[in-house]
Amino acid sequence: MSSTDTALGRILVVDDQAANLRVVSALLTREGYDVITAASGPDALACYADAVPDMILLDMMMPGMDGFEVLAVLREQEPPLNIPVVFVTAAHDRDLLLRAFDAGVVDYVTKPFLPEELLARVNAHIGLKLTRDRLERVAREREELVNLVAHDLKNPLSSVLFAADILRNDGCRPERVPRYLQMIHESADDALGYIRHYLESRAGAMREPGEAACADLGEVMQWLAQRYEMQLEARGGRLRLALPQDAAHVAIDERVLRQLGENLVTNAMKYAPGGELLLAGRPGAPGYWQLVAADRGPGIPPSQQRELFKPFTRLQQPEDGVSSGLGLSLAKQIVANAGGQLWYEDREGGGACFVIELPEAGPQAECDPADPA
């Protein structure tokens, strides 16, 4: 919604007559609307570009650039005009009204207008517009939740399938069987834990007030190494771990940091198989710690680097064919929500390097391990 927190909505009133602007602005402001006025077509376009309103009251017959020209420019912009426009006119010409509706207006008010009539039309169209905004926001949030759940379940379920295939095909030494069984059990626990986490989030079971998020970076890195070491080995690769030299507590939930790390590790296994993957924890900017995942694969060409963090973008088709193109986009959003940054850089000597930088947890935070499912 583009309106301010205290107003019912933001309305752009466009009229070349100063008296009309004063009367309409005063009426709508008393009603609780945030009102912006423009005395010409170019002024209206400038106001619209500065802050998109929830509705436009537009005088169609103005000198110079009239309302029809203003509408034509707005409809050609990106994103296109998607708010109600109410035509204000002193004319009663039927052909003019039809032309205005063809241009995209949703209603009209004739001058001189009755205050009750103007308010009734404004309230009706603003109400419809804000209701549509709420429905679109709910649909967007539901889609984002489905994407998050589907993406986060993919990694633990892939680990379950990997370990199950090894055991089913007698592909490991007997002494390693307990390790693969443990991987299956822990991965299934993780999947159930993610589902529970999202269900609790939807139900409002959030962190207690004043309780700060915290994760131990070193412990998360060791967890990642234990979870993916054998999968890397099966692909002809190996994992090198460079733990932070000092205690490194970052301000993010441990389960979420595991998910972020899993995304970087599984990407390296897909796009740079057979080589060494370095997982490093190191100080970042003052007050920040970094989790680095660096491989010796082909890297990413500069022409494609700007596409890395766009949703539903795949730079190449992975071997398993199940990538949604959402991983890095979601990861970047999650890191930003935690007050950090995620970026890519070319690795010195060749390869790709992804860096997650997160703020250090405050002294009041207690880093407890992620709850089991």
Side-chain angles (χ1 to χ4, degrees), residues 97-346:
L97 292 176
L98 291 176
R99 183 185 168 199
F101 285 121
D102 287 340
V105 303
V106 298
D107 206 346
Y108 71 96
V109 178
T110 56
K111 301 177 185 177
F113 56 81
L114 294 173
E116 297 82 4
E117 178 188 4
L118 178 64
L119 287 176
R121 294 180 187 273
V122 167
N123 290 339
H125 290 294
I126 282 282
L128 288 172
K129 192 265 181 185
L130 298 184
T131 298
R132 185 190 65 198
D133 287 350
R134 284 193 292 271
L135 291 173
E136 290 177 351
R137 186 167 61 252
V138 168
R140 228 174 14 249
E141 290 173 352
R142 179 171 294 180
E143 181 181 5
E144 288 173 359
L145 178 64
V146 170
N147 288 337
L148 280 169
V149 172
H151 179 267
D152 290 341
L153 288 178
K154 186 179 68 175
N155 286 331
L157 292 178
S158 296
S159 295
V160 169
L161 287 175
F162 165 78
D165 284 342
I166 292 290
L167 294 174
R168 190 175 63 175
N169 296 316
D170 295 325
C172 70
R173 298 189 299 272
E175 63 269 20
R176 281 201 167 189
V177 169
R179 181 84 178 274
Y180 283 105
L181 290 174
Q182 181 184 14
M183 179 186 291
I184 291 173
H185 184 269
E186 290 180 352
S187 298
D189 264 358
D190 287 340
L192 290 175
Y194 294 152
I195 292 171
R196 188 182 68 178
H197 169 75
Y198 288 118
L199 290 177
E200 288 175 348
S201 297
R202 296 291 286 178
M206 304 302 288
R207 185 176 293 274
E208 291 295 327
E211 184 182 356
C214 181
D216 186 307
L217 180 58
E219 288 183 1
V220 169
M221 291 173 60
Q222 290 175 317
W223 180 89
L224 290 168
Q226 182 181 21
R227 173 59 55 85
Y228 288 100
E229 184 178 25
M230 291 189 297
Q231 295 185 53
L232 282 161
E233 182 182 302
R235 291 169 174 256
R238 70 184 186 92
L239 180 67
R240 181 160 65 92
L241 208 58
L243 296 171
Q245 295 181 356
D246 301 315
H249 295 158
V250 288
I252 193 169
D253 285 334
E254 182 165 319
R255 188 185 302 279
V256 175
L257 184 56
R258 285 183 181 182
Q259 292 170 279
L260 295 170
E262 282 189 286
N263 190 74
L264 299 186
V265 172
T266 55
N267 276 349
M269 289 195 302
K270 289 175 185 174
Y271 300 114
E276 179 191 80
L277 172 63
L278 168 66
L279 274 184
R282 67 190 186 191
Y288 288 80
W289 284 95
Q290 294 179 352
L291 171 61
V292 180
D295 61 54
R296 287 299 184 190
I300 300 170
S303 61
Q304 295 183 337
Q305 289 178 16
R306 61 179 174 272
E307 307 292 323
L308 268 176
F309 300 101
K310 292 183 179 180
F312 304 108
T313 298
R314 289 194 299 263
L315 301 187
Q316 66 184 71
Q317 185 65 36
E319 293 177 5
D320 57 15
V322 297
S323 174
S324 64
L326 276 169
L328 289 174
S329 171
L330 292 174
K332 189 174 182 69
Q333 178 184 330
I334 291 168
V335 172
N337 290 343
Q341 296 184 72
L342 166 61
W343 70 86
Y344 168 85
E345 56 191 41
D346 292 322

